[in-house]
Amino acid sequence: MLDGFEEIAAGLVATAKSFHARGWLLGTSGNLSAVGQREPLLLAMSPSGVDKGELRADQLLSIDQNARIVGQPGGKPSDESLLHIRIVRDRGAGAVLHTHSIWNTILSDVYARDGGVRIEGYEMLKGLQGVSTHEHAEWLPIVENSQDMATLAESVGETLNKHKAAHGFLLRRHGLYSWGENLAQAKRHIEILEFLLETIGRTLHIRANAI
Ligand SMILES: [Zn+2]
């Protein structure tokens, strides 16, 4: 087992429970990872099919750069492990988090034709790394969903390359991905983006009803 794995696993469990309590990881959905070692890559990854509100640190899996389990006899890492690995590689992320909230699911479809969601003028944008003013315009790209994880990882890679300033992306009718240099920053980014997506969604709803 990696040095510090238990501490990393405990951090991921605390994050999972916190997100689950807010309705962002219901029905065993979503997944979480954090880098344990860069070279060769080892990632602490949430298991597939486990209730994130009941997740235990000993259920976290250590996987390599090909999403194969390392040093543990059983368990199945999340189906979306390849996406996490791609984000870690392309963005140099220390942690990657993926949520299935109602608002991120709705907006990933509402804005699909635009290819992304433009978020501008909100104070909460300053919670994103490197952003110092509410005047920042964040482009949250939307990637078409697929069950073929190798293909989806390629689409994600192309999107990350095209939108180098993005702090996250949406998978259409599926969910939100964000990341950070470490778990604390990744958690902050998810909280900020979920807040902003819900704000945009509720604003659309209120305006539609006001007409
Ligand atoms: Zn998902």
Side-chain angles (χ1 to χ4, degrees):
M1 187 164 295
L2 271 175
D3 282 351
F5 185 88
E6 285 173 18
E7 195 183 328
I8 292 169
L12 290 173
V13 166
T15 304
K17 290 190 171 174
S18 152
F19 284 4
H20 181 270
R22 282 177 270 184
W24 301 345
L25 298 173
L26 297 179
T28 77
S29 69
N31 33 67
L32 312 90
S33 71
V35 173
Q37 180 182 290
R38 289 269 170 202
E39 291 295 335
L41 183 66
L42 286 174
L43 212 55
M45 183 82 219
S46 57
S48 177
V50 170
D51 183 333
K52 302 303 183 300
E54 306 287 334
L55 186 64
R56 301 188 316 268
D58 63 8
Q59 291 176 306
L60 269 291
L61 299 163
S62 184
I63 62 170
D64 68 11
Q65 60 184 2
N66 298 309
R68 286 182 303 228
I69 295 176
V70 177
Q72 285 153 298
K76 181 179 181 297
S78 167
D79 291 336
E80 293 174 56
S81 297
L82 287 177
L83 305 190
H84 286 246
I85 292 163
R86 187 71 189 228
I87 295 165
V88 165
R89 285 251 179 260
D90 288 12
R91 281 292 203 257
V96 178
L97 303 172
H98 169 48
T99 49
H100 287 203
S101 73
I102 291 171
W103 285 111
N104 77 38
T105 303
I106 291 172
L107 294 191
S108 71
D109 194 31
V110 167
Y111 287 98
R113 264 192 294 176
D114 300 333
V117 186
R118 185 180 167 88
I119 310 173
E120 188 175 13
Y122 292 101
E123 181 69 14
M124 280 290 262
L125 284 163
K126 288 163 63 183
L128 300 175
Q129 194 64 21
V131 176
S132 56
T133 169
H134 66 280
E135 290 172 354
H136 170 77
E138 180 75 14
W139 180 252
L140 197 59
I142 299 171
V143 178
E144 194 62 43
N145 194 29
S146 171
Q147 300 305 317
D148 179 338
M149 287 305 144
T151 303
L152 195 51
E154 280 308 306
S155 302
V156 164
E158 284 169 20
T159 298
L160 293 175
N161 193 35
K162 197 170 162 192
H163 303 284
K164 292 204 185 317
H167 292 81
F169 61 87
L170 292 162
L171 294 179
R172 188 179 182 194
R173 292 187 175 182
H174 177 160
L176 168 69
Y177 269 87
S178 190
W179 52 86
E181 291 166 21
N182 50 45
L183 181 58
Q185 191 183 103
K187 180 172 183 256
R188 194 177 86 223
H189 285 168
I190 286 283
E191 288 182 339
I192 294 288
L193 291 172
E194 288 287 2
F195 177 98
L196 289 165
L197 289 170
E198 183 167 345
T199 298
I200 289 168
R202 286 177 181 267
T203 303
L204 284 176
H205 187 66
I206 289 167
R207 285 194 178 144
N209 287 335
I211 294 167

